[in-house]
Amino acid sequence: MSRKGNLAKIHIAKKELGISDDAYRAMLMEVAKVNSASKHSQINVDDVRYSN
């Protein structure tokens, strides 16, 4: 899947899971060391797992 498609999947999942912006950015920082998915050079949704 393309980078644009992966970013779309991430944002759809964020919305469907009801993750707040603060929690989303904290998760990105923990997993990828960035505060925005668009700043990550290798977006792969299969590598990201959400657990609460």
Side-chain angles (χ1 to χ4, degrees):
M1 175 158 282
S2 71
R3 176 179 170 76
K4 186 176 180 180
N6 280 335
L7 285 170
K9 279 185 173 182
I10 289 169
H11 287 106
I12 290 167
K14 175 189 174 278
K15 183 178 180 180
E16 288 181 356
L17 292 169
I19 300 171
S20 71
D21 285 337
D22 289 341
Y24 169 72
R25 296 199 185 282
M27 193 180 335
L28 285 173
M29 189 58 72
E30 183 178 329
V31 172
K33 308 299 184 238
V34 294
N35 65 357
S36 171
S38 65
K39 291 181 182 177
H40 196 281
S41 61
Q42 303 256 333
I43 297 296
N44 185 349
V45 284
D46 295 328
D47 292 342
V48 178
R49 301 286 184 253
Y50 175 74
S51 61
N52 48 358

